[in-house]
Amino acid sequence: MASARTKARTRAFQILFEADHRGVSPERVLADWVARSRDPRPDEGIPQVAEYTMQLVEGYAQHARTIDDLISTYAVGWTLDRMPIADRNVLRLGTYELIWEDGTPDAVVLDEAVEIAKEYSTDESPAFVNGLLARFLELKPTIRR
């Protein structure tokens, strides 16, 4: 069974994916998810939105330009808009959590990002995500400055 953090991370990825797909801000999709999850009508399959999910989505949104610039700079041979939408968003989430969230061990961030890529993207995606996030881990002290 997945941990609460794993579920929160997966939901954050789903929110970023939906926002990207719809061409709206992640904060707008997050607000929609929160409102729907609190709707008193019978459960329509809308999951609860955990605090950590909100923290991840809002954190990404706060650093979105820097994160997208990093991904664009270091994803050799890939532009953001050519990248599979799942890869782009798992990288956005993983980069935010790796660089700006101190409460999660770096190895856990990498492992969880790879697991999300395995579940939601192509066969090549886990290695791509792992390689790029490992590079960001090396650059972390410089990026945070």
Side-chain angles (χ1 to χ4, degrees):
M1 190 164 121
S3 74
R5 280 272 169 123
T6 297
K7 288 177 184 171
R9 209 173 268 113
T10 300
R11 298 232 195 298
F13 161 75
Q14 291 167 331
I15 289 168
L16 294 183
F17 184 101
E18 181 180 332
D20 193 0
H21 184 71
R22 289 176 45 201
V24 299
S25 75
E27 298 97 331
R28 180 171 165 193
V29 175
L30 176 62
D32 291 348
W33 277 48
V34 169
R36 290 192 338 243
S37 75
R38 295 187 178 148
D39 190 321
R41 287 179 290 183
D43 182 16
E44 297 172 12
I46 307 298
Q48 290 297 309
V49 180
E51 284 294 321
Y52 197 60
T53 298
M54 291 187 249
Q55 187 177 325
L56 290 172
V57 172
E58 290 165 354
Y60 162 72
Q62 183 180 349
H63 297 282
R65 178 170 283 129
T66 301
I67 290 168
D68 284 0
D69 287 348
L70 279 168
I71 295 168
S72 296
T73 300
Y74 290 97
V76 178
W78 287 96
T79 58
L80 262 181
D81 54 343
R82 272 196 58 238
M83 208 174 277
I85 190 170
D87 292 6
R88 181 168 58 233
N89 288 290
V90 76
L91 283 167
R92 286 170 167 164
L93 178 63
T95 302
Y96 167 72
E97 194 173 14
L98 185 65
I99 305 301
W100 287 280
E101 282 295 326
D102 293 327
T104 307
D106 295 336
V108 171
V109 174
L110 267 67
D111 288 346
E112 296 268 336
V114 167
E115 288 304 313
I116 292 170
K118 281 180 186 173
E119 185 169 345
Y120 292 96
S121 199
T122 69
D123 290 343
E124 294 79 27
S125 296
F128 175 65
V129 165
N130 187 61
L132 199 50
L133 290 179
R135 181 74 177 117
F136 294 158
L137 178 57
E138 293 171 9
L139 298 169
K140 185 175 178 173
T142 315
I143 295 169
R144 282 185 67 154
R145 267 192 243 123

